[in-house]
């Protein structure tokens, strides 16, 4: 199928040609006619499927040209990075029209965003929080909003945006076209759909929570932080790791990994986490996108929604404990018809999460042998203690009556013997059997 066959007008075909898209992706083929026909829609599609253009193109085409001063379409996304990305794509796709688009996100003052609104606007792309903040200043007049997109809805729910989404729904007209996009479709997203959408057409381009077929996935058992660093160093010797995103659990660890790699001089690296200023974060992403940077280290929240083509490898330095994040993360590689590899490091306390992820993606992630060149070090006392606590926590999740071996020992005021405890990793397995 071609974009012309989707009944897109010349203005948009021109913009598509400029973007270098040769043919519509599956979600575009399925969603564009339905949106142009005015239907409500649930789109189950991962990042990388072309879902952004799938909703932007028909909405922009319906809006056609600049009209009045009040916004007529609203796109809500979970993070500022995603606002910036969707905004860029919207501006490119609308470049042969006079449509006015504004990006609204926090972390910077609202002044410029408010000024754009005052001069007249057709499309708002915003995080829920910033939308409400500016609404509260009476700078948004939502009466004319006729199209609302909730993008990365599962993520918005994970980030606790349900109250804000409800509040926004109360402020915009009831009669409108509503589109919901989500990589996965858990119960909480179903709740949004049931509350806000009217007889939606449901389109699913990949089976729920199935990672892109083009992504190779592996896991390494890595006993501790230092071994993870050593493995990372080893992997990066391979030049095919040309553009790599490393996801790290915490800001502190992300900084440590950054310092470690920086000292090794393995190529240009950028660090992305929420303590970094807005401009530093956007610059880091832009540098990475332009190919000037080999490695981007990020905490998960910061990395969400970054649109980077041709990422060769995603490395989960830690196993994500929000399992749907795994799907999102590995969605950064193998995007838009390219292949990629996702590698996850897991210690024994993270195996539990790997099992849960495998259930979610309905796939087994093959485990690779640790390369001999990797320095496998002893796990330090405190790190081991954290891992054992984590095992206890997991057992409690599975069995709320479980008191916890770790805590029992602590209560008896015994100094934990971690040699024995390390065996208790395998004892734990035996007990499970
Ligand atoms: P998305 O799923 O919207 O994040 O899009 C993923 C990437 O695919 C973005 O870089 C888009 O620019 C790109 N893309 C979207 N539609 C197409 C298309 N029809 N052909 C090629 N690339 C596309």
């Amino acid at each position: 199928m071609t974009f012309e066959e989707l009944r897109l007008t010349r203005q948009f075909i021109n913009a598509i040609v400029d973007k270098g898209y040769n043919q519509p992706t599956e979600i575009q083929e399925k969603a564009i006619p339905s949106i142009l026909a005015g239907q409500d829609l649930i789109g189950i599609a991962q990042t990388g499927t072309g879902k952004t253009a799938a909703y932007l193109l028909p909405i922009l085409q319906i809006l056609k040209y600049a009209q009045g001063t009040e916004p007529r379409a609203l796109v809500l996304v979970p993070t500022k990075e995603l606002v910036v990305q969707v905004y860029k794509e919207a501006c490119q796709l609308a470049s042969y029209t006079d449509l006015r688009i504004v990006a609204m996100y926090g972390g910077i003052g609202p002044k410029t965003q408010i000024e754009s609104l005052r001069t007249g606007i057709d499309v708002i792309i915003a995080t829920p929080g910033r939308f409400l903040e500016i609404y509260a200043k009476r700078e948004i007049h939502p009466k004319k909003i006729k199209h609302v997109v909730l993008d990365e809805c599962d993520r918005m729910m994970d980030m606790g945006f349900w109250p804000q989404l409800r509040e926004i729904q109360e402020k915009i007209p009831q009669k409108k076209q509503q589109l919901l996009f989500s990589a996965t479709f858990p119960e909480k997203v179903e709740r949004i759909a049931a509350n806000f959408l009217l007889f939606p057409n449901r389109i699913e381009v990949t089976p729920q929570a199935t990672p892109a077929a083009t992504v190779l996935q592996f896991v390494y058992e890595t006993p501790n932080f230092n071994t993870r660093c050593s493995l990372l160093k080893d992997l990066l010797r391979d030049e095919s790791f040309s553009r790599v995103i490393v996801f790290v659990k915490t800001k502190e660890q992300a900084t440590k990994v950054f310092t470690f790699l920086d000292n090794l001089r393995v190529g240009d690296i950028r660090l992305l986490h929420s303590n970094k200023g807005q401009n530093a974060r956007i610059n880091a992403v832009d540098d990475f996108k332009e190919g000037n940077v080999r490695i981007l280290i990020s905490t998960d929240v910061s990395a969400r929604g970054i649109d980077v083509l041709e990422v060769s490898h995603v490395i989960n330095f830690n196993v994500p404990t929000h399992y749907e994040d795994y799907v999102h993360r590995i969605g950064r590689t193998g995007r838009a018809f390219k292949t990629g590899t996702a590698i996850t490091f897991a210690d024994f306390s993270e195996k539990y999460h790997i099992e849960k992820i495998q259930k979610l993606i309905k796939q087994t992630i093959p485990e690779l042998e640790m390369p001999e060149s990797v320095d496998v070090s002893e796990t330090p006392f405190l790190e081991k203690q954290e891992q054992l606590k984590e095992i206890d926590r997991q057992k409690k999740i599975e069995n709320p009556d479980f008191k916890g071996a770790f805590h029992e020992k602590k209560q008896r005021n015994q100094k934990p013997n971690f040699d024995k405890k390390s065996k208790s990793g395998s004892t734990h397995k035996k007990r499970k059997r």
Side-chain angles (χ1 to χ4, degrees), residues 235-244 294 312-313 341:
L235 292 173
L236 290 171
R237 281 206 199 118
D238 182 342
E239 281 177 9
S240 75
F241 285 63
S242 55
R243 223 194 285 186
V244 186
R294 183 183 179 202
S312 63
H313 294 76
T341 308

Side-chain angles (χ1 to χ4, degrees), residues 23-79:
Q23 65 185 83
T25 62
E26 192 184 348
I27 185 85
Q28 290 162 1
E29 241 180 70
K30 290 179 172 167
I32 292 175
S34 163
I35 301 174
L36 283 175
Q39 271 187 300
D40 277 9
L41 180 105
I42 298 173
I44 317 277
Q46 293 166 41
T47 322
T49 52
K51 67 179 168 68
T52 318
Y55 64 75
L56 285 176
L57 281 166
I59 288 184
L60 296 171
Q61 177 156 317
I62 294 169
L63 299 181
K64 224 165 174 175
Y65 45 75
Q67 229 179 66
T69 50
E70 295 171 13
R72 290 176 291 146
L74 169 66
V75 179
L76 292 168
V77 302
T79 64

Side-chain angles (χ1 to χ4, degrees), residues 49 52 67 70 172 202 287 302 338 340 354 372 390:
T49 52
T52 318
Q67 229 179 66
E70 295 171 13
I172 47 187
R202 185 178 158 133
D287 286 347
S302 305
K338 302 280 193 302
I354 293 281
E372 277 180 11
E390 172 60 20

Side-chain angles (χ1 to χ4, degrees), residues 29 36 58 75 96 105 111 151 164 180 185 189 200 204 227 238 245 255 281 302 311 314 360 366 393 406:
E29 241 180 70
L36 283 175
V75 179
Y96 290 86
Y105 49 86
K111 198 165 155 248
D151 195 1
Q164 281 98 325
L180 182 159
F185 201 66
V189 177
E204 193 164 346
T227 310
D238 182 342
I245 303 190
T255 308
R281 291 165 71 183
S302 305
V311 170
V314 164
L360 176 73
R393 197 185 66 83
F406 181 80

Side-chain angles (χ1 to χ4, degrees), residues 207-252:
Q208 192 183 337
T210 304
T214 47
V215 181
L216 293 171
Q217 300 169 64
F218 303 107
V219 63
Y220 281 101
E221 185 169 348
T222 45
N224 50 49
F225 182 83
N226 287 341
T227 310
R228 288 175 209 251
C229 285
S230 176
L231 175 60
L232 188 57
K233 171 178 153 192
D234 196 79
L235 292 173
L236 290 171
R237 281 206 199 118
D238 182 342
E239 281 177 9
S240 75
F241 285 63
S242 55
R243 223 194 285 186
V244 186
I245 303 190
V246 185
F247 290 101
V248 186
K249 185 163 59 182
T250 62
K251 278 179 253 186
E252 293 70 28

Side-chain angles (χ1 to χ4, degrees), residues 68-88:
T69 50
E70 295 171 13
R72 290 176 291 146
L74 169 66
V75 179
L76 292 168
V77 302
T79 64
K80 42 192 159 187
E81 281 78 14
L82 198 56
V83 172
V84 172
Q85 180 194 314
V86 174
Y87 172 74
K88 269 193 193 161

